[in-house]
Amino acid sequence: MNRARVAELPVARLQSFSAHLRARGFTLGPSDTVAALRALSSADLADAREVKMRLRIVYARSPEEWARFDALFDGFFTPARPRMIPPPPPPGPDAPPSSFALPGPKFPDRPRPEPRAGFRLAYSPTWGERFTVSVLQGPELHAVRVTARRVAAVLPRRQSRRWGSRGRGELDLRRTVRAGIARAGDPVVLYERAPAPALPDAVLVLDLSGSMREYGSFFITWAWALLRTRIRLHVFGFSTELRPLTPLLRGTRPGERPPGGLDQFSGGTRIGQALGALNGHYRERLFRHTTLMVVSDGFDAGDVELLGQAMRALRGRVGRLLWINPAATMPGYRPLATGIQAALPHVSDHLPVSDLPSLQRALATGRFGGGPFPAPQPVPPL
């Protein structure tokens, strides 16, 4: 791939590439070219692989287009090279069949790698490219677990209706009287009580599409570690459909293959549809004292209006809504993707986190905390 030609990509060149695809059967319009420009606005144009991935997300809408896109991209941006050896002539009708000819696959341009140990996820408009992420091991896993415990400690929590002996509040008459029995009924020591804080309630939603490929292992490990802290956590994952991951991650050890389920992920990114399913089918997990954390780069191939409606509904149900964006850690990043623009007006905070150091920086600035939620109102007597 000639990276210099990709790095000098002007608007006219991208329009020519759109016309090149249209002439070869792709159903594209002016809005697709605009979406492609927005997708490339935050990309490293010197990285041909990243440019190809982002344009494939915008332009390819079917398995056939997905399979043909790489060859069309390479043929357009790579100058033709002279062939040093002429190709052999095609065999005639009387030529004997080659003894080395083997029947090829039904779709030779569509790679289907075998599953490997770990989590098997996917991205494409329909079934996508398979890739593997797994829970980290060794010193890195230990560092992630330590940071997860620190995140769980600062997450806002509500005050329960249960009373605790620690803290200063109102007079604990029952404890004071019982302690005075040993002193002939004299309340020598006055004990106080205060509402005991409940465990934090949190919901973590992971974007497991192809654009999140390089961050998948870290966030899966972080979710795995958070489930082993003192919080009430529910983990979900999505590419086009939302699926609960809590049982799979609870039963998985570092380096082990989970007990099935994650290889059902396939397709492109439908953030609005996934968050709408969260609000519709799992609303019993969402309360006014819940911290909802959405991990996504904001590249949504679905209905952007649906994403805005889902974010507005979720913001009205939960106490805090954090959008954790790995793409925001890139130098010069600007939230120009349509998905992130639809989500930002409804989030409590936009956190640039893509790895352990960036997670530790966000934690050090206090952006995961937000103070305790309001105490529940006392129930009036009947």
Side-chain angles (χ1 to χ4, degrees):
M1 174 65 62
N2 188 351
R3 294 193 174 187
R5 296 191 65 184
V6 178
E8 299 173 358
L9 186 68
V11 177
R13 188 67 169 161
L14 188 59
Q15 292 175 338
S16 300
F17 181 56
S18 301
H20 177 75
L21 295 179
R22 252 191 321 269
R24 283 151 183 81
F26 282 60
T27 55
L28 305 176
S31 60
D32 298 293
T33 304
V34 174
L37 288 171
R38 290 177 177 175
L40 293 180
S41 61
S42 60
D44 180 10
L45 298 182
D47 189 347
R49 181 178 179 182
E50 182 180 359
V51 171
K52 181 192 297 186
M53 180 193 71
R54 295 186 180 224
L55 292 182
R56 187 197 299 127
I57 292 172
V58 176
Y59 286 141
R61 298 180 177 177
S62 67
E64 292 74 18
E65 293 179 353
W66 187 269
R68 295 171 52 204
F69 182 84
D70 286 0
L72 295 175
F73 182 92
D74 295 340
F76 185 83
F77 288 106
T78 304
R81 299 180 180 178
R83 299 181 63 92
M84 303 303 296
I85 301 176
D94 299 331
S98 173
S99 59
F100 297 98
L102 296 176
K106 184 176 181 181
F107 300 100
D109 296 332
R110 183 184 303 176
R112 299 297 293 270
E114 294 297 325
R116 294 169 291 176
F119 296 99
R120 188 165 158 231
L121 314 176
Y123 182 84
S124 85
T126 52
W127 53 264
E129 296 179 348
R130 302 283 179 175
F131 64 95
T132 302
V133 296
S134 59
V135 177
L136 303 176
Q137 303 184 54
E140 191 170 3
L141 173 61
H142 175 71
V144 172
R145 297 194 67 172
V146 171
T147 307
R149 286 195 293 267
R150 293 176 57 195
V151 171
V154 301
L155 284 179
R157 58 186 68 199
R158 62 183 175 89
Q159 290 182 350
S160 66
R161 293 188 173 91
R162 300 182 61 181
W163 293 90
S165 58
R166 297 181 180 180
R168 301 184 63 86
E170 63 181 46
L171 177 65
D172 190 347
L173 184 60
R174 180 178 180 180
R175 188 180 180 195
T176 302
V177 171
R178 292 190 64 179
I181 295 176
R183 301 177 179 88
D186 294 330
V188 178
V189 180
L190 300 180
Y191 292 92
E192 296 182 352
R193 65 178 184 174
L199 294 179
D201 290 276
V203 174
L204 180 62
V205 182
L206 301 177
D207 182 351
L208 301 177
S209 60
S211 61
M212 296 285 292
R213 174 197 300 258
E214 60 180 301
Y215 315 110
S217 293
F218 169 72
F219 284 112
I220 284 290
T221 304
W222 186 47
W224 181 90
L226 280 175
L227 284 171
R228 286 153 179 82
T229 60
R230 290 184 57 79
I231 63 174
R232 297 188 184 96
L233 178 68
H234 301 278
V235 184
F236 297 88
F238 71 90
S239 53
T240 57
E241 296 182 359
L242 186 75
R243 298 186 183 276
L245 302 184
T246 306
L248 300 179
L249 293 178
R250 286 194 185 279
T252 302
R253 296 181 180 180
E256 289 186 351
R257 182 178 176 84
L262 280 186
D263 48 349
Q264 298 177 2
F265 284 103
S266 64
T269 311
R270 300 290 189 269
I271 307 178
Q273 179 179 342
L275 296 183
L278 176 68
N279 188 42
H281 302 301
Y282 300 97
R283 62 173 55 195
E284 70 275 5
R285 312 295 187 194
L286 307 173
F287 305 95
R288 58 183 176 83
H289 52 263
T290 301
T291 300
L292 174 60
M293 298 176 285
V294 180
V295 179
S296 175
D297 54 8
F299 290 104
D300 189 6
D303 189 353
V304 179
E305 294 184 1
L306 180 60
L307 173 58
Q309 295 172 3
M311 290 294 295
R312 189 181 308 112
L314 289 172
R315 187 64 186 90
R317 294 189 62 88
V318 300
R320 298 196 74 214
L321 202 165
L322 304 179
W323 191 284
I324 300 174
N325 188 355
T329 60
M330 299 180 182
Y333 170 80
R334 291 184 297 168
L336 299 179
T338 55
I340 196 67
Q341 288 182 352
L344 284 183
H346 309 287
V347 303
S348 304
D349 204 348
H350 184 209
L351 306 182
V353 175
S354 61
D355 51 14
L356 183 59
S358 58
L359 176 62
Q360 293 172 341
R361 287 193 298 269
L363 181 62
T365 56
R367 302 178 69 176
F368 277 96
F373 292 112
Q377 297 298 324
V379 179
L382 298 178

